[in-house]
Amino acid sequence: MSTGTPWQGERAGTGSEAREAWPLACRPRAGGPRGSWRRSPSPRSCSAGLPGGFRPARCCGEPGSLPAAPPAPTPPGRRPRPCKQRAGSCTAPGPRRQPGAQGRAPPRRPPERGPNSPGHHDLHHAPPCEARAASGAGRCSAPARLTAPPPPRPTVVWCHLPAGPGTGPRDRAPRRLCSCSAFCSGPCAPPRPSDRLFAPCPVALVCSAAPLSALGPSPPPLQAAPPGLPATIEPPAAAAGALAVTSGSGARHFRLRRARGRGPSRAMGEFEVHRVRFFAFLPSGVRCLARGPALALARLDGALELYGPTASGFQEKAIPGHEARATQALSWAAGGRLFGADLGGDVAEYDLQKLRIKYTVDGFGGPIWSLAADPGGTRLAIGCEDGSVKLFQVLPDKIQFERSLDQQKGRILSLSWHVSGTRIVAGSINHLRVYNVDSGRIVQRIRVERRLLSSHRRECVVWGVAFLSDGTVVSADSAGKVQFWDADKGTLLETHPVSSSAVLSLAVSEEEDSLVVGTSEGAVYQFQLLPVKRGSTESRWVRTKPFQHHTHDVRAVAHSRTALISGGLDAQLVIRPLMEKMHGQGYEAVLRKVTFPHRRLVSCARKARLLLFQFPQHLELWRLGATNAAGRDGEVLPVSRDPEHLLQLKSKGPDHICCSCISPCGGWIAYATASRLHLHRLQLENGSVVAIQRVPKLPKLLCPVYQLLYSADSSRLFVASDQGSVHVVQLLEPGGCKHLQTLCSPSGTAEAVQLLAVSADGDWLAATSSDWAINIYSLQQFKHHCTVPAYNCPVTAIAINPATNHLVIAHSDQQLFEFSIPEREYTAWSRGVQQHGLHKDWLERDTPIAHIAFNPRQPTQLLLHDTHMLCILDKSLPLPDDNTPLNNQAFLKQLSVKARRGHAHAFKICKKYQPLLFMDLLDEDCLVVVERPLTDIQAQLPPPVQQKKFGT
């Protein structure tokens, strides 16, 4: 890199090969010139007027000067001495300058970034410079303007993680110099209210002046430990504790000091982390909800999802979408049967065991806009485009047309049954109509005005209706009103103007004392039936404040006993608990937001370093980038090879892809739709695809397919099917396959298998079905080995430890179990976890564990991740109690070294990567994470129809 102005980025090459590197802000070091390299977490920028987010590499001193020892401590309350290189230059960290003082830092602005472009990555820009510029000519010599860099490219960053007993912050390290490393949430990245698992980490960064290669040898040893600590850290080659982060426009090398106790050092692992942000997955919006035995959700692409009745926000089952299916309404009927109606004019029943559509029936009325089941669940009413309301009888194995009610002008957009089952209210354009089910005639017609005193020129669309047991009809319309009507007299009882935009959805609680509506502004309102006076029998509906959890139209709402549920075009499912049902828990602890599906969309070829991304109708194959550049700590290194898009594999037909997988060697790709399995053979040369060949004539018995998995040696393919069965397929060269065996569940369940895990030695296979049963099979004898003892909670992730053949299980209630496959029992560690109990903050997490991996060099360590965190769990360390923060460096700093050793616990948590869709180990030293920022998703959504402005 050039040694020009320390504020200046370096650009090498032209055209598409251009690189731009941005150095870090570095703090002064003792033993070297003042103003040398440091990393500063201050939220202030330097006074030179740089764009927010980009700070100087050196506050003062000569370019390129690097120290050889950490800085001396600054006594509390004393101002640090200014730098003596130049008069009036920047100082080390000290008290902040008061507002109005000379050299005040400008406000910080976020860096400009081009979202959604191929290869888009988050730029690891330097934290703000803490240096305070003094008056006079000695102020930081920086240009007045600095243009923002181009969209960043992938990088590699080295840093070290503190771990093990006796690990703690250095006593003399300033607390405000905490790094923004992977397993730390320091002042440079303030924890949000939702980041409950974090306490500020006081461990300071220490830069090494020795050259370091991003992908080459391990970093050189650190300086000797200062007095007061038991020992110094060993070189990373001997005691691995580093983490390398890949993303940005180059590579930076960081190292965290780590103390070692008298016993052996328990390192948390050394990884090169590839940070991937070019998975352009766009979730589909929520169209409708139905609450019953489970919460059913239909998306705009025709996909169906089922969530548990406990409002935990875990997706238990999913049916892939279809290009020709646009589900408009859902309803539960008797016996836990789920029906849906779409704009194609069909009524469909879903098979919730085989996860597919069981059959469809034509409604004979054009597109179907609404669907509702009677209170007994024995009849279905559908509202059609031609203005008719048709009734279907629910039979044990199908539905049958019964009769059609009086046809009226205008499509029927909403329906609701009276609790008696004798009347139906239908919402249309400008009208509400009440039908007598026995006679099929309209008994009441109500005109709905658009506004209270407006003309009749504009139509008023009734998007939602509810028929209460006392004969009151509640309507929600496009004029932004919620109105209450007397169904017998047809008179208006109450009007509540809710919004200047449309009210699109409405739902009522079972007790009929509360209702919820959603608007096109993204707001959700709750109405409650409250007494006028204390002790009075007279009650009125009162509107509460809005809850703005969505950015776009709220197309569907539901009301359970404990929560308000909403979904909209922003693809988010929000489960907001009722305040009176929280039972002492914090509001942030029980709020649930579900954006991404709880199934695997990314698979990894570890040996070939390839990633396979799953989209609804195609697959994308990418090769990870790399770098071979070398430099000093703190320098930015350009990548030598960018991530490369190798292949796009399109699926034929209207069915969406339900599962996909790539073999560890990268030579096989398999994917499945609802009706067919596809297998392809890839020929790779120097990491690039030379040829692709489809394997013809696959065995028909392999369908339907719900999950795919390759063996560790890429010689077998495991196909999860219905009725708890798993097919074992032998892969043949140069491109063929042979069915070996079908493994069947001894219980004879009709549920589909949803999760698979195979041991590294190829001897064991674990399969989890939709009824939460976990069966383990022997692949040597092709027979059932044992069944894991039942636990009454859905399974979210399973994996087999390659060193011990222990099966690790994660459940939706955040509980963790370890089952010994050879011994057919839970391990001692698992029994100890259940006796001790997991930390309350761990149990209150709002997203389930999606993947489990193991570090081959550390058999006692588990790598787990959900949407918002990455965790390394060391089973050799004690579990924390509820009074100990999970990230407890701040607590350990207050203790002596001897007491510090006894307070180290098993959890090391990182929230640097989010939203996190995938994480896996490529090898012993390399980790890959795949993120999908919500800002990128929102940038691809269409603008909202209505958007509330500030002050209106």
Side-chain angles (χ1 to χ4, degrees):
M1 297 182 64
S2 63
T3 57
T5 305
W7 301 83
Q8 191 175 19
E10 174 182 329
R11 184 180 298 273
T14 58
S16 61
E17 299 178 357
R19 304 285 189 273
E20 184 143 356
W22 298 92
L24 289 176
C26 298
R27 63 180 173 85
R29 304 272 311 272
R34 292 280 180 174
S36 301
W37 296 83
R38 76 178 180 110
R39 180 177 175 88
S40 166
S42 171
R44 296 174 291 157
S45 302
C46 192
S47 60
L50 290 178
F54 301 102
R55 278 91 189 176
R58 306 166 182 84
C59 296
C60 55
E62 294 298 326
S65 60
L66 289 173
T74 301
R78 181 181 300 178
R79 292 176 57 89
R81 293 179 298 175
C83 178
K84 297 182 180 180
Q85 289 283 334
R86 296 192 304 266
S89 59
C90 300
T91 66
R96 296 191 179 187
R97 183 175 294 276
Q98 297 299 324
Q102 187 176 2
R104 183 175 53 189
R108 179 177 179 178
R109 296 177 298 173
E112 298 180 3
R113 188 171 61 177
N116 312 316
S117 58
H120 170 61
H121 302 273
D122 184 21
L123 177 63
H124 285 267
H125 56 268
C129 175
E130 281 190 355
R132 295 178 291 111
S135 58
R139 186 174 300 179
C140 292
S141 57
R145 295 180 63 244
L146 181 63
T147 57
R153 297 179 180 272
T155 63
V156 179
V157 180
W158 286 94
C159 54
H160 284 265
L161 310 179
T167 300
R170 294 297 196 188
D171 295 336
R172 70 179 198 172
R175 185 180 182 275
R176 299 185 65 243
L177 294 182
C178 170
S179 76
C180 189
S181 63
F183 285 78
C184 163
S185 173
C188 53
R192 301 189 302 270
S194 60
D195 299 342
R196 301 179 305 279
L197 302 183
F198 279 93
C201 174
V203 183
L205 272 178
V206 179
C207 298
S208 173
L212 178 64
S213 173
L215 297 178
S218 300
L222 298 178
Q223 293 80 15
L229 290 175
T232 60
I233 186 173
E234 300 174 359
L243 179 68
V245 183
T246 302
S247 178
S249 60
R252 302 188 184 99
H253 307 286
F254 301 109
R255 313 184 78 190
L256 282 177
R257 286 187 173 181
R258 183 184 61 191
R260 185 166 66 93
R262 295 181 180 178
S265 174
R266 292 188 177 97
M268 296 304 289
E270 173 180 301
F271 305 110
E272 167 200 320
V273 177
H274 292 261
R275 190 175 186 180
V276 175
R277 287 193 171 188
F278 44 78
F279 181 27
F281 173 73
L282 185 65
S284 183
V286 178
R287 180 58 193 91
C288 55
L289 295 170
R291 192 179 58 83
L295 177 65
L297 178 149
R299 297 192 178 270
L300 297 178
D301 60 357
L304 177 75
E305 300 170 1
L306 293 182
Y307 295 83
T310 59
S312 62
F314 174 66
Q315 182 187 114
E316 297 183 4
K317 299 180 180 180
I319 299 178
H322 192 279
E323 288 297 304
R325 185 171 65 242
T327 305
Q328 193 70 15
L330 293 171
S331 182
W332 290 91
R337 299 166 64 181
L338 181 63
F339 294 88
D342 57 42
L343 296 180
D346 294 330
V347 180
E349 182 178 359
Y350 295 94
D351 190 334
L352 302 182
Q353 291 182 334
K354 298 183 178 181
L355 301 180
R356 62 188 180 187
I357 291 182
K358 193 173 183 179
Y359 61 85
T360 59
V361 175
D362 195 342
F364 300 103
I368 301 176
W369 291 92
S370 53
L371 171 69
D374 69 342
T378 58
R379 286 188 290 184
L380 295 176
I382 62 173
C384 303
E385 174 75 18
D386 61 359
S388 64
V389 176
K390 293 181 170 59
L391 302 181
F392 287 81
Q393 186 178 4
V394 180
L395 302 178
D397 56 347
K398 61 179 180 179
I399 60 173
Q400 181 177 334
F401 176 76
E402 181 179 347
R403 62 180 302 181
S404 179
L405 306 184
D406 282 352
Q407 184 173 349
Q408 301 296 320
K409 183 179 179 180
R411 62 182 65 132
I412 306 299
L413 297 172
S414 52
L415 287 172
S416 181
W417 288 77
H418 189 263
V419 67
S420 63
T422 59
R423 289 184 293 176
I424 296 177
V425 60
S428 183
I429 299 177
N430 295 328
H431 288 91
L432 288 170
R433 298 181 178 93
V434 180
Y435 293 85
N436 185 294
V437 176
D438 296 332
S439 63
R441 299 299 181 89
I442 295 177
V443 297
Q444 194 63 255
R445 182 181 287 105
I446 302 173
R447 175 78 177 184
V448 180
E449 300 290 347
R450 177 167 181 83
R451 300 189 184 279
L452 297 178
L453 298 175
S454 66
S455 62
H456 304 285
R457 295 179 182 177
R458 300 183 64 183
E459 295 178 340
C460 184
V461 181
V462 181
W463 289 110
V465 292
F467 210 151
L468 304 185
S469 58
D470 61 355
T472 302
V473 174
V474 188
S475 65
D477 55 49
S478 59
K481 306 187 307 294
V482 175
Q483 295 180 309
F484 297 83
W485 307 84
D486 189 327
D488 297 329
K489 301 178 181 179
T491 57
L492 180 64
L493 300 178
E494 296 182 45
T495 297
H496 295 268
V498 173
S499 172
S500 59
S501 59
V503 180
L504 302 176
S505 51
L506 182 148
V508 182
S509 65
E510 294 181 1
E511 295 80 8
E512 296 185 354
D513 59 352
S514 175
L515 62 89
V516 57
V517 297
T519 69
S520 59
E521 292 180 344
V524 175
Y525 296 84
Q526 182 187 7
F527 287 80
Q528 291 180 290
L529 186 62
L530 302 175
V532 177
K533 297 180 181 180
R534 179 177 297 180
S536 174
T537 58
E538 182 182 0
S539 301
R540 297 193 63 180
W541 289 94
V542 179
R543 187 189 74 180
T544 62
K545 65 177 182 178
F547 301 95
Q548 193 77 32
H549 297 303
H550 298 273
T551 60
H552 288 65
D553 299 359
V554 180
R555 302 292 298 272
V557 292
H559 200 313
S560 69
R561 293 180 179 271
T562 59
L564 306 179
I565 308 168
S566 60
L569 296 184
D570 58 359
Q572 285 198 109
L573 174 67
V574 179
I575 304 176
R576 177 191 171 272
L578 297 175
M579 304 300 291
E580 61 272 14
K581 305 291 184 179
M582 291 173 56
H583 303 293
Q585 290 182 309
Y587 180 77
E588 293 291 337
V590 291
L591 180 66
R592 299 289 185 265
K593 289 186 178 182
V594 182
T595 304
F596 302 100
H598 294 161
R599 66 181 188 277
R600 188 181 63 184
L601 298 176
V602 182
S603 57
C604 177
R606 300 180 180 179
K607 299 177 182 178
R609 301 212 168 188
L610 303 177
L611 290 180
L612 183 68
F613 298 142
Q614 176 182 320
F615 294 87
Q617 290 233 283
H618 73 276
L619 303 174
E620 288 185 2
L621 183 64
W622 287 75
R623 182 178 64 174
L624 292 173
T627 182
N628 53 13
R632 295 170 297 185
D633 289 346
E635 288 187 351
V636 179
L637 303 179
V639 294
S640 60
R641 188 187 69 219
D642 291 337
E644 183 181 357
H645 186 194
L646 301 179
L647 176 68
Q648 185 180 87
L649 194 61
K650 294 185 178 180
S651 174
K652 296 181 179 180
D655 291 330
H656 287 185
I657 299 174
C658 61
C659 59
S660 61
C661 190
I662 186 171
S663 62
C665 67
W668 299 87
I669 290 180
Y671 71 94
T673 62
S675 58
R676 191 174 180 183
L677 172 65
H678 303 264
L679 181 62
H680 295 266
R681 183 70 168 99
L682 300 182
Q683 294 183 12
L684 303 175
E685 184 176 343
N686 297 327
S688 299
V689 178
V690 177
I692 180 171
Q693 176 187 359
R694 184 176 67 87
V695 179
K697 299 181 180 180
L698 296 177
K700 294 183 179 179
L701 59 87
L702 298 181
C703 292
V705 180
Y706 303 103
Q707 190 60 264
L708 295 167
L709 181 66
Y710 286 94
S711 60
D713 59 358
S714 303
S715 63
R716 291 179 178 179
L717 173 65
F718 304 100
V719 181
S721 188
D722 56 356
Q723 298 182 354
S725 61
V726 180
H727 304 291
V728 183
V729 178
Q730 182 72 36
L731 303 177
L732 306 176
E733 294 294 346
C737 66
K738 180 179 67 174
H739 179 260
L740 291 181
Q741 189 73 26
T742 298
L743 306 174
C744 299
S745 172
S747 63
T749 178
E751 298 286 342
V753 174
Q754 292 188 317
L755 294 175
L756 293 174
V758 63
S759 61
D761 55 13
D763 292 341
W764 307 103
L765 176 71
T768 303
S769 55
S770 301
D771 58 358
W772 313 338
I774 304 176
N775 294 293
I776 300 175
Y777 302 93
S778 171
L779 296 179
Q780 297 293 334
Q781 302 175 358
F782 290 113
K783 69 176 185 180
H784 184 263
H785 176 68
C786 64
T787 300
V788 178
Y791 182 71
N792 191 26
C793 198
V795 180
T796 65
I798 57 174
I800 299 178
N801 193 323
T804 60
N805 279 338
H806 291 171
L807 177 66
V808 179
I809 310 165
H811 292 272
S812 62
D813 61 352
Q814 314 301 348
Q815 292 290 343
L816 296 175
F817 294 89
E818 186 181 47
F819 183 82
S820 175
I821 296 178
E823 301 295 333
R824 305 185 186 186
E825 63 180 8
Y826 285 115
T827 63
W829 179 83
S830 181
R831 292 191 295 268
V833 169
Q834 298 306 310
Q835 293 175 0
H836 181 278
L838 293 173
H839 197 281
K840 64 178 182 179
D841 289 343
W842 177 271
L843 299 177
E844 290 179 357
R845 290 172 21 256
D846 56 357
T847 54
I849 295 296
H851 185 72
I852 304 172
F854 302 94
N855 187 354
R857 293 182 304 184
Q858 299 290 339
T860 62
Q861 294 178 7
L862 310 177
L863 280 76
L864 313 99
H865 89 86
D866 61 15
T867 306
H868 302 297
M869 71 94 195
L870 170 65
C871 174
I872 294 182
L873 176 60
D874 194 337
K875 298 186 299 180
S876 63
L877 297 179
L879 295 172
D881 54 24
D882 289 345
N883 297 325
T884 303
L886 287 186
N887 197 349
N888 62 346
Q889 281 84 353
F891 173 74
L892 293 177
K893 185 178 181 180
Q894 304 173 4
L895 304 178
S896 63
V897 176
K898 182 178 179 180
R900 197 180 305 167
R901 298 193 194 102
H903 285 75
H905 59 70
F907 288 92
K908 296 293 178 182
I909 294 183
C910 162
K911 286 199 173 182
K912 183 174 184 178
Y913 315 108
Q914 37 178 300
L916 189 58
L917 298 187
F918 178 77
M919 177 277 300
D920 200 4
L921 277 170
L922 297 177
D923 53 38
E924 294 182 355
D925 302 322
C926 191
L927 188 70
V928 58
V929 297
V930 179
E931 298 172 282
R932 184 59 173 148
L934 295 179
T935 54
D936 293 354
I937 295 177
Q938 294 172 0
Q940 296 186 31
L941 295 176
V945 178
Q946 296 286 342
Q947 188 172 8
K948 185 175 178 60
K949 296 182 179 179
F950 178 76
T952 61

